[in-house]
């Protein structure tokens, strides 16, 4: 019974918080349209970067067999590092600078780079497994 009451009250509280924050966001962006344009620009940059990150290891599918033939961990690490470096260069080209970024921006960038590195590793593992089956 306490669980049901807690879920009911929790759902009402979450709904109230979402409603108030949505209303505050609408009012804020209605009064400050230039910040809305800035947010859309950031969203466009993020989508372009994510598209690049998602396509890069698949577009260079011919590199994975070449690295596998070398049978070297250093070659595999070099390939993953090159992918990560390309991802970082595109990200910094999109934001236009390296200096003067705040700690939140650096945190988001580092988290994005780590996520891109894990994605590149998983894609390369998938490509290598498919090659072994052939």
């Amino acid at each position: 019974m306490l669980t049901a009451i807690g879920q009911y009250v929790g759902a009402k509280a979450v709904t109230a918080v979402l409603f108030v924050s949505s209303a505050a966001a609408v009012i804020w962006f209605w009064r400050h349209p230039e910040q809305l344009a800035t947010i859309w620009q950031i969203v466009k940059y993020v989508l372009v970067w994510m598209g690049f990150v998602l396509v890069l290891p698949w577009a260079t599918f011919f590199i994975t067999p070449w690295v596998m033939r070398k049978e070297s961990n250093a070659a595999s690490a070099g390939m993953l590092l090159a992918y990560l470096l390309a991802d970082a260069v595109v990200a910094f080209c999109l934001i236009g600078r390296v200096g003067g970024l705040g700690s939140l921006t650096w945190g988001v960038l580092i988290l994005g780079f780590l996520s891109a590195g894990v994605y590149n590793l998983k894609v390369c593992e998938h490509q290598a497994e498919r090659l072994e089956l052939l």
Side-chain angles (χ1 to χ4, degrees), residues 48-134:
V48 167
W49 183 75
M50 285 178 62
F52 179 80
V53 167
L54 293 174
V55 169
L56 179 65
W58 294 105
T60 57
F61 65 91
F62 54 88
I63 294 177
T64 304
W66 179 72
V67 169
M68 283 182 59
R69 281 193 298 270
K70 294 201 176 292
E71 295 183 4
S72 167
N73 287 340
S76 298
M79 176 185 65
L80 291 173
L81 189 63
Y83 283 153
L84 186 61
L85 183 64
D87 295 337
V89 166
V90 169
F92 287 125
C93 285
L94 286 172
I95 61 175
R97 66 185 189 277
V98 177
L101 300 176
S103 60
L104 177 63
T105 305
W106 276 110
V108 170
L109 283 171
I110 290 170
L111 183 63
F113 296 154
L114 290 173
S115 300
V118 169
Y119 173 76
N120 291 333
L121 174 67
K122 291 299 181 185
V123 169
C124 291
E125 281 180 349
H126 175 74
Q127 290 174 350
E129 287 173 3
R130 290 194 62 197
L131 288 171
E132 289 176 357
L133 294 176
L134 296 177

Side-chain angles (χ1 to χ4, degrees), residues 1-76:
M1 172 138 167
L2 288 176
T3 304
I5 293 172
Q7 288 176 346
Y8 179 78
V9 171
K12 295 298 179 185
V14 168
T15 302
V17 167
L18 289 175
F19 179 76
V20 169
S21 61
S22 297
V26 167
I27 292 169
W28 178 265
F29 289 125
W30 177 63
R31 297 192 64 180
H32 302 93
E34 69 281 354
Q35 291 183 357
L36 184 62
T38 302
I39 286 177
W40 282 117
Q41 186 67 31
I42 292 169
V43 168
K44 286 191 273 186
Y45 286 164
V46 167
L47 291 176
V48 167
W49 183 75
M50 285 178 62
F52 179 80
V53 167
L54 293 174
V55 169
L56 179 65
W58 294 105
T60 57
F61 65 91
F62 54 88
I63 294 177
T64 304
W66 179 72
V67 169
M68 283 182 59
R69 281 193 298 270
K70 294 201 176 292
E71 295 183 4
S72 167
N73 287 340
S76 298

